[in-house]
Amino acid sequence: MDIRVLQYFLAVAREESITKAAESLHMTQPPLSRQLKDLEDELGKQLLIRGSKKVTLTEDGMLLRQRAEELVDLMEKTKNEIAFSDYDIHGNIYIGGGESEAVSFLAQVAFDLQQKYPHIHYYIYSGDAERISEKLDKGLIDFGLFVSAPTDIEKYNYIRLPMKDTWGVLMRDDSPLANKPFITAEDLWDKPLIVSHQASGDSEIFRWLGKSEAELDIVMKYDLIYNASQFVKKGFGYVIGLDKLINTSGDSNLCFRPLSPTRESELFVVWKKYQVFSRAAAAYLKRIQNELGYYENVT
């Protein structure tokens, strides 16, 4: 399977038209159609439904699109690393992580490194632990920031960061619970709750709540707490999440109250064991270690 043909396929998927894709690729339609047909023959699957007005992907086509995007991204990442390997430190650094105040630490490290090596570029990907682990395992990112250690931490090297994230409840400042300095599990048993998609029945949050998901009033699940906060502002419910991610000062009508007993999550910068870093990524890791004054490495 030729990477160039995969790029052709992605162009058709993006344009939803073989004609428009051919124009964007600066080629004529017949050879593009032939390449796509050869790809379908090679895989033994129909990838495209060729309609009168647009081209759509079959289920197999949608799967190939996802994998092709990953392969093309990895190819471009590798080309950049090789192209810049003989020069002063250039290149790209790829970081993935969930929402955490610790991102500000990673940003400061990047800023400091940028002063010395201005030709380094950064790509930040957001996602839950499962998505970030998948990107790490496939070599699509260099580092992952995890709120609590991955369940399969033995697969990785890591640095445990000295800061921790505090769990609590984000609510309107006129909510009945806003007068309390801390929020207990019992306080939330009869409240409309907004929780992360990552929160499953056996997660730390549900263990703290002391009730199953079916016994609680879960009105919404979120990926990004900023989006969830917009619902909170309208009085939709109470978000269980991490501190310092949403501004609750000034004219904000929101407030944050920590959980009781206190719940904190450790933070980890993680990378694959036996990872061969680009010079840029290696410099970034060294800067993290120097900034912390120590490092804890799992090998």
Side-chain angles (χ1 to χ4, degrees):
M1 189 183 304
D2 193 319
I3 195 74
R4 179 173 50 86
V5 177
L6 292 180
Q7 291 173 316
Y8 292 167
F9 170 76
L10 289 175
V12 173
R14 181 178 61 251
E15 300 291 343
E16 297 184 336
S17 164
I18 295 177
T19 300
K20 291 181 180 178
E23 291 174 356
S24 71
L25 295 167
H26 306 290
M27 62 189 300
T28 58
Q29 182 177 337
L32 177 57
S33 296
R34 185 168 59 253
Q35 294 274 12
L36 295 171
K37 184 64 172 61
D38 290 345
L39 178 62
E40 289 181 317
D41 291 342
E42 179 184 355
L43 295 175
K45 297 286 186 178
Q46 182 181 358
L47 303 173
L48 304 169
I49 300 173
R50 297 158 175 82
S52 58
K53 294 186 177 180
K54 72 174 185 178
V55 173
T56 56
L57 299 180
T58 64
E59 185 174 346
D60 291 315
M62 288 186 283
L63 175 60
L64 179 62
R65 180 179 187 172
Q66 179 183 348
R67 298 296 182 237
E69 287 173 343
E70 293 171 351
L71 288 169
V72 170
D73 285 347
L74 184 58
M75 181 195 70
E76 293 299 325
K77 180 175 182 284
T78 304
K79 284 170 57 179
N80 288 333
E81 290 172 355
I82 293 173
F84 292 125
S85 61
D86 293 331
Y87 298 93
D88 190 14
I89 297 181
H90 291 58
N92 303 322
I93 296 173
Y94 301 83
I95 303 170
E99 294 179 291
S100 169
E101 172 66 11
V103 172
S104 64
F105 168 76
L106 298 182
Q108 184 63 54
V109 172
F111 177 81
D112 294 341
L113 193 62
Q114 197 77 357
Q115 307 313 298
K116 187 174 183 180
Y117 303 116
H119 299 295
I120 293 178
H121 299 93
Y122 295 84
Y123 294 81
I124 307 298
Y125 298 90
S126 298
D128 59 24
E130 182 179 353
R131 294 172 187 170
I132 298 306
S133 294
E134 182 180 6
K135 284 186 176 293
L136 273 175
D137 294 343
K138 292 179 178 178
L140 299 175
I141 58 176
D142 300 307
F143 304 103
L145 174 64
F146 288 82
V147 179
S148 73
T151 54
D152 50 355
I153 189 65
E154 69 279 355
K155 292 170 50 179
Y156 305 108
N157 292 338
Y158 67 85
I159 294 173
R160 180 186 282 109
L161 298 179
M163 65 283 291
K164 295 182 179 180
D165 276 340
T166 300
W167 286 90
V169 178
L170 184 71
M171 68 190 89
R172 285 173 59 105
D173 57 15
D174 59 358
S175 300
L177 298 183
N179 295 322
K180 296 173 63 70
F182 300 96
I183 304 300
T184 66
E186 291 82 357
D187 291 330
L188 300 176
W189 285 351
D190 62 346
K191 300 295 189 293
L193 301 181
I194 301 173
V195 300
S196 167
H197 277 296
Q198 285 187 264
S200 60
D202 61 348
S203 68
E204 180 182 353
I205 288 302
F206 281 106
R207 289 196 297 270
W208 175 83
L209 283 165
K211 287 186 178 291
S212 68
E213 187 170 347
E215 295 175 296
L216 297 164
D217 184 15
I218 308 296
V219 295
M220 193 175 97
K221 292 192 173 185
Y222 66 88
D223 284 324
L224 299 175
I225 197 169
Y226 174 80
N227 292 339
S229 72
Q230 302 307 303
F231 284 78
V232 178
K233 287 180 179 179
K234 303 301 181 183
F236 197 77
Y238 296 76
V239 167
I240 302 177
L242 299 175
D243 196 6
K244 300 179 182 178
L245 297 179
I246 299 297
N247 178 28
T248 57
S249 62
D251 59 356
S252 171
N253 70 334
L254 300 178
C255 64
F256 183 90
R257 298 291 181 264
L259 303 182
S260 178
T262 300
R263 286 291 182 272
E264 293 180 327
S265 290
E266 291 189 304
L267 297 157
F268 297 80
V269 175
V270 174
W271 63 98
K272 284 176 66 177
K273 282 189 174 180
Y274 315 112
Q275 173 78 18
V276 179
F277 282 128
S278 67
R279 294 179 67 204
Y284 185 77
L285 177 58
K286 185 176 181 180
R287 177 73 64 163
I288 291 176
Q289 294 170 340
N290 290 343
E291 184 71 22
L292 295 175
Y294 74 94
Y295 64 96
E296 181 177 355
N297 231 10
V298 171
T299 58

